[in-house]
Amino acid sequence: MHHLCQSNEARAALRRGLGLPVERCNTMHRYLVPWLRDHDDPYHADVRRAYYAVASLIAARPRAARDTVPAHAGISWFQRPSLGASLGRGVAAGVMKGNSAESSLHLMTRQSTDAIHPSLPALIRQLQGGGITVDWAVLLEHLAWFNRKRDRIATRWLEDYFRTSTRTTDYGTGIPAGADPAHANLAEENDR
């Protein structure tokens, strides 16, 4: 998707779907239908909608965010930042007020993706405007499975939010503050 967004034409077409349901994303089909056919299940509505939403969010990134390389290399999947962690980072960095971020997060965790998708563009724009990166792969997976695994994903978002906003987790690595990185993998193994 990042490669696709290097084209101004593709980026503009994908950006037009920002916050819209798939049925109203006519300019995006040209780019996403072939990609979905080759990479994921195009017939599962939640998966398809998640891809369309994340593609439009990636295409709508401000120029400064386009040049930012996420520092997720070498971090295990379970330690990569969720939406909750990104909001927590936003609060810790002063990009968002704590009560605003927390109330947005609590509201999203009680809703279905039908309510979450329209609120994401403004939230992500605010985070990226403050230099906070979003892990697109994690967001994509969570949106695709949210309606089926809401309790598990909501719990992860809330836990990640409070760990990062209160700085009990190093928000550069996702590892608990003061913990030995070698032992962080043991906690992950225990969660499986």
Side-chain angles (χ1 to χ4, degrees), residues 40-114:
D40 214 322
D41 181 4
Y43 303 108
H44 191 289
D46 289 340
V47 171
R48 189 174 55 166
R49 186 171 188 186
Y51 272 100
Y52 276 70
V54 171
S56 66
L57 289 168
I58 290 171
R61 292 174 299 168
R63 182 174 299 280
R66 277 185 243 154
D67 299 332
T68 304
V69 178
H72 309 308
I75 298 176
S76 75
W77 177 258
F78 297 102
Q79 293 176 322
R80 290 173 62 168
S82 68
L83 180 62
S86 295
L87 287 171
R89 289 176 186 168
V91 170
V95 173
M96 299 182 77
K97 293 186 178 192
N99 57 356
S100 173
E102 191 176 329
S103 63
S104 294
L105 191 57
H106 276 290
L107 182 63
M108 285 191 293
T109 59
R110 291 192 307 264
Q111 298 175 322
S112 73
T113 54
D114 289 340

Side-chain angles (χ1 to χ4, degrees), residues 65 68 81-83 85-96 123-136 171:
T68 304
S82 68
L83 180 62
S86 295
L87 287 171
R89 289 176 186 168
V91 170
V95 173
M96 299 182 77
L123 194 62
I124 300 296
R125 187 178 320 113
Q126 185 176 3
L127 289 171
Q128 292 188 321
I132 306 297
T133 59
V134 174
D135 190 317
W136 301 114
Y171 66 73

